[in-house]
Each structure stands twice: as C-alpha cells, then as structure tokens.
Amino acid sequence: MIDIILMAYRDLSERKARTILTLLGIAVGIAAIVSLVSVGYGMQEAITGELTVFADLISVMPGKLAGMSYVELGSFTDRDIRDIRRIGGIKEVTAMTHGAAEVEYRNERKPVFVLGGDTDALSSFYVEPVGLDEGRWLRENDYRVCVIGNRVATEFFDEPVHVNDKLRINGEKFIVAGVFKKASMLYAMDVDPHIFLTLRAAKDVLGNEKAKYKYITVRVYNIEEVDEIADELEERINDNHGLDEFATAMTMGSMLERISSVFSILRGVLVGIAAIALVVASIGIMNTMLMAVMERTHEIGVMKAIGAKNSDVLSLFLLESCMVSLIGGVAGCILGVILARVVSLVVSSALGMEFVPTVKVGVLFAGVGVAMCVGVLSGFYPARKASKMSPVEAVRYG
Amino acid sequence: MIIRVEYLSKVYRMGKVEVPALRDVNLEIEEGEFLAIMGPSGSGKSTLLNIIGCLDKPTGGRVFIDGANTASLSENELAEVRRDKVGFVFQQFNLIHSLNALENVSLPMFFAGVSRGERLKRAEELLAKVGLRERMHHKPLELSGGQQQRVAIARALANNPKIVIGDEPTGNVDTEAGNVIMGILGDLNREGKTIIVVTHDPVIAAHAKRVIRMRDGRLLDEE
Ligand SMILES: Nc1ncnc2c1ncn2[C@@H]1O[C@H](COP(=O)(O)OP(=O)(O)O)[C@@H](O)[C@H]1O
Ligand SMILES: [Mg+2]
C-alpha cells in the first residue's frame, strides 16, 4: 500500500505543473464554498446576536409580509392601542407614525421620511445602539425640535446640517437638536435617512389623515409569553379592522426564523455558485487524468504486460486522483478559512457591522469530502479507460 | 510439454485491409527447452510471442500454457499468467522511468501481493544475479542499454516464472552486451527455465538448443 502511494506520488510530482493546476482548481472551488458558507454563518450569528437583545419585543405592522416584501394595508388607530393595552402581560406599548414630508434647508427642498413616537421608546430602539454624533436626544415636551439621521445631515443637502440649524418640515420650522452617528448595517435603513420627531410634532406635520400609527411596538414582562401575546394582539387588531390578516405581529423568534431562512437561501445560492466552480474544477481533473492516461499509455501497457490486473491499474489511477483531490481539499479548506477572514474584514468595514466568520468543523469535513468525491468521480472514467487498454497495443504506443 | 500452439492464426485489420500475421502455426515446446525463433522482419515472430505471452489474443487456433487453454481464461487469469508464469523481455527494455532498478524489479511482485520486505530482498538478489548489485538505486535512464536489459530480465524473473520470453532482447544493445544477455539466458535455461528468444543474429541463435524459422506467418520445417 505504501509503495502504491509512493508510486502515485512520483507520477504526480513528475508532472508538477499540471498537478499543481489541478490542485489549484479543486482548492479554489473548495475555498469558495468554505469561505462563503463561513462568512454567511458569521453574518447570521452577528445579526441574531444583536437581535436577541430584543427578545421581549413585539413589533406590529399594519400589513402583510410575503417573503421579503411588505404590503401595507392601512394604519392603526387609537382604539387599537387601547385594546392592546388591555392584554395581560404587557409592560409597555409604543406607537409610531411615519410618512414622507417635504424638507427645506437653506432654500433646498428634498422629500425625507419623518418618524415620530414616544421619545423614551425611540431612544431605547435607536439612540442606545446607534448613538448620537452631535447634540442631544428628543424630550417628551420638545415641540419644534428634531433629531436627524446621519445621511440626512451629510448627504441629502448640498450643505451639511448641524445642531441648531433650522429646517422646514412641510413648512413648519424645526430646530435640529441632535445628529445620529452613522448606523451599522442592521440599523442603517431605519436611522440614517430619517428625521425623528416627538409623536405630537409628527402628527402635526404629517397632517391628521396620515398621522395614524404605522408601527406599534410592545414589550412584555415574560419572554416565555411573547408568542402567545403576539397572536392575541394580531387577533384583536384584525377584529377591529374586520379583516382576517390586517396586522402582522413579529417577535424576535419569528424575526430570527425569517433571518435564518433568508440566510439559508443565501447560503444555498453561494453554495450553488461554488458548486459550479467545482464542476469546472472536476472537468479540469478529468482532463488532467485523461492526459495522464494518454501520456502513460506505454507505461500502463508495460505494467499490464508484467502482470498488473485491470483493477491494479484502476486503483493506481484512482489513488492518484484521490491524492490530488485530498491535498486540494485540505488546501482549499485552509485557503477558505483565510479567505473568509479577509472577506469578513472587507464586508465588516463596508457594512459598518462587526463580525467574524464562523468556521464549522462540519463545513471543513464536507469540503474535503466534496473534493474527494469530485476527484474520484472525475478520475474514474480516465482510470477505467487506462485499465481497459490492451497490453500489446499500449506497449507499442509511444 | 509446457507450451502447445495449435493452428494458431492472427489477422490484423487495418480499415478494410486484412493483414494475416500468423497462418496455422503449430508448435510444441517442452519444459526446459531453449528455443530461438528466426526469420525476416514481418514474418510474424513478435505476433507469435505476444500471443504465447498472453499480451495479445489470436484470431483462430489455441494456445495451451502449462496445460491451460488461454482462450478460456478471463482477463484477470490472463494477467496472472503474465505475472506468474511468463517473464517477458522486450527489445525496447520497457522499464518504468520514474522507478529505480530495484523498484522496477519489485513491481511484478507488488502486483502479486508479495510483502514489501520480501519483495525488496528478492529484487536485490535478482539484480545481483544479473550483475547489477551496484546499480540497484539507479533510474533506467542512468543505465546503459545492456544494463537496462539486464534489469528487464531481473524483472521478468521476479515471480519465478517457468517461461522466459525475449523478443529480440539483444536487438538494441551492442554485441558484447548481447553476449552477456544471452549468457544470462543460458544460465537460466540450465536452472530449468524454458527460454524462447526471437533474434536475427545466427551467432545469438547459436546459444539456443533448438532453432525454428518463420516466413510469412508460417513456421518452416525445423532443421
Ligand atoms: N498492430 C498491427 N497492426 C497491423 N499490422 C500489424 C500489426 N502488428 C504487426 N502487423 C503486421 O503483421 C505482420 C507480422 O508482424 P510482426 O509479428 O511484428 O513480425 P516480426 O516480429 O517477425 O517482424 C507484419 O506484416 C506486420 O506489418
Ligand atoms: Mg518483431
């Protein structure tokens, strides 16, 4: 056994350039799979890690989530809020409203989304995780005062907006009390492009019609009850609006499920891409092995002439492709882990969200396993072809 | 009788052209014989040896080796005949260049499943026997033609076959090396092995105890 390995090794090292190319093909394919999957898991863990902080939270929206898209069906009313408060086990209910408004700054006008709500609740949702760059947060008795997201301050208008600057929101004068820091990926869409007001001010500027609540958040006392309460909450609001599916109440549990399903789709796509890379690599191996068979026709003939059985030749060639793919697989795993780190660094800084790749041992084993399968499968045809050659014709060749 | 050839024929097909290489060849070889086959180029000598050595299959007729009809043997059994019963020596040596002399000689024993230690020990003995103990670790291309052919003979002897076949074994070496090679084959014959060699050279053929001639795929009457 040792000798046959040695022999295969020598054959491979004699054809260094091509062996290295094949090795590389497999290694790159496996590295792609390992790194993409590890980065995917790492991101997922980072996001779910941040979200588990909100385990006592229920978010209620007046619409339906279908896959990744959201269809708004209307707004919540004061009656909805009263009814929710009556449900047992609820610690706190916050209603928020939002809508587009025309914002004027130094004679420049832009449409911007305005968000109003309970200032304490908004603070724990947004100010605590994101933080303010300048100024202070809203107070409940503030009136014509706003806090703006980082992109509103730096990108929306020709001139940057700072604390104490004046904005007109739908014609009403406001003073900027604070500016948010740039938010991480998780919060970027919620914070960066928005202007935050007190609920009263938001109702005023958005007008009575639009001032109905677009978003309700509920905190419960007991995390165990959170799903139960969410169901009851949906039912009551649906009753109020006379629709079967008007409200969507999401708990972190259901949110985490959604996220993990999105990530598993994402991983599927990534693995699919990597699989294509592997198919290409396997064509490469097959080609290498076919060339090796061709090149060594004479040698195979000699081996058969001195008593090698077909199975001896077959196993010699299969062993060669196994060795190539094993080394390729292991190298691919190492490369993949390194690549995953690099990609994570780049993606972390691009998205403003800290995370490290999660390298699962199973993924590494699968990587090597896949490499071996690819190697053996693509080596099999050439090996079989080699083993079936007639000794006399093979010896005469070359 | 160790080899019996009955009405052996071989036709090569090249597209639509049929080339008869052997026509109704009958031949009996006793155990322990030293037989030389002579004849002009293209007369079918190699074809005959290849079929006797189970490297090729006949179009018609039968070959018995050590009592077994080769036509009834499976691929694996034919490989076993090549491995254990017949040692084949080629004009072109046909050593494996990536392996050194010792490994080349071990190879048939590797296929026979002999343990590594035993294999190397026997390979060493065989190389000593052909006078190459000092060259054991050389690669074929580091050896002269005559030396390579001696390695090939050692390899042919690896699994201690009863029959050694040489297809112009001296065809690619100088006269002196040719004589050494024929001397080794003569020694093997004296040890009881059945030797069959093809040669053009009457001096070489003189080493043999029996000489047969071929022409146009037929055996001529023996002298
Ligand atoms: N593979 C082959 N294909 C076609 N014809 C062949 C082949 N091998 C040998 N022949 C023909 O068969 C005849 C006998 O060849 P061979 O046995 O090699 O003769 P020798 O060894 O006596 O020179 C020749 O006419 C040769 O051209
Ligand atoms: Mg010939």
Side-chain angles (χ1 to χ4, degrees):
Chain A
M1 188 60 196
I2 289 169
D3 314 66
I4 190 169
I5 290 176
L6 211 74
M7 201 154 129
Y9 166 74
R10 282 211 200 135
D11 289 330
L12 290 172
S13 55
E14 287 217 335
R15 300 185 314 279
K16 272 200 192 72
R18 227 187 11 247
T19 304
I20 288 173
L21 276 181
T22 313
L23 260 168
L24 218 72
I26 299 177
V28 168
I30 296 301
I33 293 186
V34 168
S35 62
L36 292 178
V37 171
S38 301
V39 168
Y41 275 125
M43 273 170 113
Q44 184 176 354
E45 274 183 15
I47 291 176
T48 53
E50 287 196 38
L51 289 183
T52 30
V53 179
F54 303 120
D56 62 343
L57 189 79
I58 303 171
S59 318
V60 198
M61 291 176 293
K64 258 195 310 200
L65 272 173
M68 293 187 70
S69 66
Y70 171 67
V71 185
E72 193 175 272
L73 297 172
S75 333
F76 298 120
T77 60
D78 287 322
R79 184 175 161 213
D80 290 330
I81 298 195
R82 264 202 318 278
D83 288 350
I84 292 171
R85 287 216 164 92
R86 286 199 192 111
I87 300 173
I90 287 180
K91 185 159 104 188
E92 176 187 302
V93 179
T94 315
M96 290 184 214
T97 186
H98 65 84
E102 189 186 62
V103 177
E104 184 183 329
Y105 176 61
R106 300 198 179 156
N107 296 325
E108 203 182 334
R109 287 166 190 217
K110 285 276 160 68
V112 182
F113 257 95
V114 170
L115 203 143
D118 178 74
T119 54
D120 288 342
L122 287 179
S123 167
S124 70
F125 287 147
Y126 299 123
V127 185
E128 277 169 27
V130 178
L132 292 180
D133 202 21
E134 299 177 43
R136 64 164 176 87
W137 179 236
L138 300 169
R139 295 178 192 130
E140 206 46 54
N141 57 357
D142 279 338
Y143 186 51
R144 289 290 188 255
V145 170
C146 65
V147 170
I148 60 179
N150 196 277
R151 287 182 55 209
V152 180
T154 56
E155 288 176 27
F156 281 17
F157 300 98
D158 286 344
E159 291 174 77
V161 187
H162 292 289
V163 169
N164 291 332
D165 283 339
K166 291 184 183 65
L167 297 175
R168 274 180 188 278
I169 302 176
N170 280 351
E172 302 278 350
K173 253 193 216 158
F174 278 81
I175 276 197
V176 177
V179 178
F180 271 102
K181 288 198 171 109
K182 189 147 183 59
S184 70
M185 183 181 79
L186 193 60
Y187 291 98
M189 289 212 317
D190 284 344
V191 177
D192 287 352
H194 287 150
I195 295 179
F196 295 82
L197 307 178
T198 62
L199 188 58
R200 206 150 44 97
K203 279 184 169 178
D204 276 358
V205 286
L206 293 175
N208 280 334
E209 267 312 293
K210 294 174 196 160
K212 295 283 161 55
Y213 309 110
K214 293 292 188 188
Y215 186 50
I216 296 175
T217 59
V218 175
R219 279 181 191 264
V220 302
Y221 284 111
N222 183 354
I223 293 170
E224 309 277 288
E225 291 175 349
V226 73
D227 285 316
E228 219 177 293
I229 293 175
D231 286 345
E232 191 172 346
L233 214 147
E234 266 187 15
E235 231 171 84
R236 292 210 180 184
I237 299 176
N238 288 346
D239 279 351
N240 284 351
H241 293 263
L243 284 170
D244 273 346
E245 291 185 357
F246 176 75
T248 302
M250 289 210 300
T251 60
M252 276 310 123
S254 63
M255 201 99 107
L256 290 178
E257 256 167 49
R258 294 192 79 79
I259 287 174
S260 96
S261 77
V262 167
F263 269 95
S264 74
I265 293 169
L266 187 70
R267 266 200 307 280
V269 172
L270 296 180
V271 168
I273 294 169
I276 293 171
L278 265 186
V279 168
V280 174
S282 78
I283 293 171
I285 303 179
M286 202 180 288
N287 187 43
T288 310
M289 294 308 292
L290 273 173
M291 298 269 275
V293 168
M294 285 251 296
E295 227 172 46
R296 287 158 65 203
T297 301
H298 176 71
E299 207 174 292
I300 293 163
V302 172
M303 287 202 262
K304 291 190 83 169
I306 62 173
K309 292 180 180 169
N310 291 1
S311 55
D312 294 326
V313 176
L314 187 74
S315 47
L316 183 70
F317 276 81
L318 275 185
L319 187 77
E320 278 197 31
S321 42
C322 272
M323 276 168 63
V324 173
S325 46
L326 178 66
I327 299 169
V330 171
C333 283
I334 297 170
L335 214 71
V337 172
I338 297 171
L339 198 69
R341 290 189 181 260
V342 174
V343 169
S344 299
L345 278 182
V346 173
V347 174
S348 288
S349 66
L351 298 180
M353 178 183 146
E354 281 294 304
F355 73 94
V356 287
T358 306
V359 180
K360 300 206 172 182
V361 181
V363 172
L364 295 184
F365 275 113
V368 175
V370 167
M372 297 279 283
C373 285
V374 166
V376 171
L377 287 181
S378 51
F380 190 78
Y381 168 70
R384 212 172 119 84
K385 199 171 140 143
S387 73
K388 289 245 157 120
M389 281 191 291
S390 130
V392 71
E393 274 164 34
V395 169
R396 198 181 296 118
Y397 182 96
Chain B
M1 195 176 342
I2 193 157
I3 296 169
R4 192 162 89 231
V5 174
E6 291 178 350
Y7 302 103
L8 193 67
S9 67
K10 175 76 179 178
V11 179
Y12 289 108
R13 253 177 213 95
M14 302 174 67
K16 285 192 173 165
V17 190
E18 293 194 343
V19 183
L22 292 177
R23 314 166 200 245
D24 288 340
V25 173
N26 289 287
L27 179 63
E28 290 183 349
I29 303 171
E30 297 294 337
E31 184 151 13
E33 269 198 79
F34 191 155
L35 174 71
I37 304 175
M38 297 187 70
S41 184
S43 56
K45 307 181 294 293
S46 294
T47 306
L48 178 61
L49 287 197
N50 288 341
I51 293 172
I52 291 174
C54 295
L55 299 184
D56 204 356
K57 288 183 176 157
T59 316
R62 296 191 292 184
V63 176
F64 293 85
I65 295 189
D66 218 4
N69 181 356
T70 57
S72 65
L73 299 181
S74 69
E75 283 286 324
N76 274 347
E77 288 166 331
L78 287 172
E80 280 164 12
V81 171
R82 295 193 293 265
R83 190 183 73 194
D84 303 331
K85 296 208 166 149
V86 186
F88 212 102
V89 179
F90 301 89
Q91 182 176 355
Q92 311 293 345
F93 324 136
N94 287 341
L95 298 174
I96 291 179
H97 292 172
S98 56
L99 304 179
N100 67 22
L102 200 62
E103 290 160 337
N104 263 291
V105 177
S106 310
L107 202 51
M109 292 183 269
F110 169 72
F111 293 132
V114 178
S115 77
R116 183 180 160 82
E118 215 170 307
R119 224 153 61 207
L120 292 177
K121 187 165 145 268
R122 177 158 171 79
E124 210 173 315
E125 284 166 12
L126 288 169
L127 283 167
K129 188 170 181 170
V130 297
L132 288 174
R133 180 181 281 276
E134 312 303 314
R135 298 276 193 273
M136 267 183 343
H137 298 292
H138 287 245
K139 294 272 177 81
L141 295 182
E142 297 159 2
L143 300 170
S144 72
Q147 289 169 334
Q148 286 187 55
Q149 194 61 300
R150 282 187 275 155
V151 175
I153 292 172
R155 180 179 68 182
L157 297 173
N159 289 321
N160 198 19
K162 288 185 177 171
I163 305 162
V164 174
I165 295 177
D167 190 352
E168 303 197 43
T170 56
N172 267 10
V173 301
D174 59 38
T175 319
E176 202 183 324
N179 282 326
V180 173
I181 286 162
M182 291 312 286
I184 292 170
L185 292 175
D187 288 345
L188 291 173
N189 178 241
R190 273 183 290 282
E191 285 167 24
K193 298 218 183 291
T194 308
I195 311 283
I196 310 168
V197 272
V198 161
T199 181
H200 287 300
D201 185 344
V203 180
I204 294 287
H207 283 87
K209 294 176 199 153
R210 177 183 169 200
V211 178
I212 56 175
R213 288 169 197 285
M214 291 188 71
R215 179 170 301 152
D216 296 334
R218 277 183 233 280
L219 233 54
L220 303 183
D221 290 339
E222 292 183 40
E223 315 162 5

